[in-house]
C-alpha cells in the first residue's frame, strides 16, 4: 500500500510540475508572455508586440562579452527597427544599480528594462543570454553567449524577412 501511495504522489507531483516546466521559453514553442517596465516608465507586453521580431537580452555590467554585445545590439536596432525589430536589454541583479547606469541608458536606442515579469531569466545564470521571438510570437532562438554581427544577421535577417501574421 505504501508503494502505491508513493507512486501516486510522484505521479501527481509530475503532473503539477509539468505546466511549470513548460511555462519557460522554449525554441519552436509559443513565447510565454512577459511584461516589461522600461527605465523611462513605459510598460510593454510581449502580446502587444505581435508582428515584430523581439530580442530580449540579459546582460551585466561586470560581463566583458556583454560590454561588446550591447553596443552591437544597439547599433543593429538603430538600423533594423524600421523593419520591425524590437530589442530590450535587462540588467541582472548582480549589476550596478539602475541609477548608476543612467548615462548608459541615455545613450541607447534599445529599451532598457527596469522590471521584468514573466518566465524569462538568463539561461543557467549565464550572461549574456538572448531570446529571439518571431513575428508570430514563437521563440526562435534562446541561448547564453554573446551575439556577433554574423550571428545577428544569421538569426534576425530571415525573421525580419518573414511577413507579419
Amino acid at each position: 500500500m505504501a508503494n502505491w501511495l508513493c507512486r501516486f504522489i510522484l505521479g501527481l507531483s509530475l503532473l503539477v510540475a509539468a505546466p511549470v516546466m513548460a511555462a519557460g521559453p522554449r525554441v519552436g514553442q509559443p513565447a510565454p508572455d512577459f511584461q516589461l517596465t522600461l527605465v523611462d516608465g513605459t510598460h510593454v507586453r510581449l502580446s502587444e508586440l505581435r508582428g515584430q521580431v523581439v530580442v530580449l537580452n540579459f546582460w551585466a555590467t561586470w560581463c566583458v562579452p556583454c560590454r561588446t554585445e550591447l553596443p552591437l545590439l544597439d547599433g543593429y536596432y538603430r538600423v533594423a527597427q524600421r523593419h520591425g525589430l524590437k530589442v530590450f536589454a535587462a540588467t541582472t541583479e548582480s549589476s550596478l544599480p539602475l541609477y548608476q547606469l543612467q548615462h548608459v541608458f541615455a545613450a541607447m536606442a534599445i529599451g532598457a528594462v527596469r522590471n521584468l515579469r514573466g518566465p524569462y531569466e538568463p539561461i543557467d545564470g549565464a550572461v549574456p543570454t538572448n531570446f529571439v521571438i518571431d513575428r508570430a510570437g514563437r521563440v526562435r532562438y534562446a541561448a547564453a553567449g554573446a551575439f556577433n554581427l554574423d550571428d545577428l544577421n544569421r538569426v534576425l535577417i530571415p525573421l525580419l524577412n518573414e511577413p507579419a501574421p
Side-chain angles (χ1 to χ4, degrees):
M1 180 82 148
N3 192 17
W4 175 87
L5 184 58
C6 288
R7 284 194 313 249
F8 175 76
I9 291 171
L10 177 62
L12 185 60
S13 68
L14 290 175
L15 284 175
V16 171
V20 173
M21 292 186 312
R26 300 181 133 191
V27 174
Q29 298 297 314
D33 202 13
F34 61 66
Q35 181 176 343
L36 307 174
T37 303
L38 302 182
V39 170
D40 69 5
T42 305
H43 295 279
V44 179
R45 292 189 72 97
L46 177 60
S47 58
E48 298 166 349
L49 299 173
R50 185 64 58 111
Q52 306 282 321
V53 175
V54 177
V55 176
L56 181 58
N57 169 264
F58 289 91
W59 67 285
T61 54
W62 50 263
C63 166
V64 175
C66 297
R67 288 185 289 206
T68 301
E69 181 187 52
L70 195 60
L72 176 66
L73 279 171
D74 190 63
Y76 202 93
Y77 172 70
R78 289 173 192 266
V79 172
Q81 66 181 327
R82 62 189 171 108
H83 300 290
L85 179 66
K86 294 286 188 184
V87 179
F88 301 97
T91 57
T92 62
E93 291 179 10
S94 60
S95 288
L96 293 173
L98 292 178
Y99 74 88
Q100 291 183 341
L101 296 172
Q102 290 302 327
H103 65 286
V104 173
F105 299 147
M108 293 184 343
I110 60 179
V113 177
R114 177 176 44 188
N115 187 359
L116 171 104
R117 281 195 240 151
Y120 293 82
E121 59 186 41
I123 296 171
D124 295 328
V127 288
T129 287
N130 291 287
F131 295 96
V132 177
I133 301 162
D134 69 14
R135 296 181 191 276
R138 290 183 115 29
V139 178
R140 298 290 286 273
Y141 180 91
F147 276 129
N148 61 35
L149 184 56
D150 290 338
D151 295 331
L152 285 171
N153 287 332
R154 180 181 46 80
V155 172
L156 294 178
I157 288 177
L159 300 179
L160 292 169
N161 286 329
E162 290 179 355

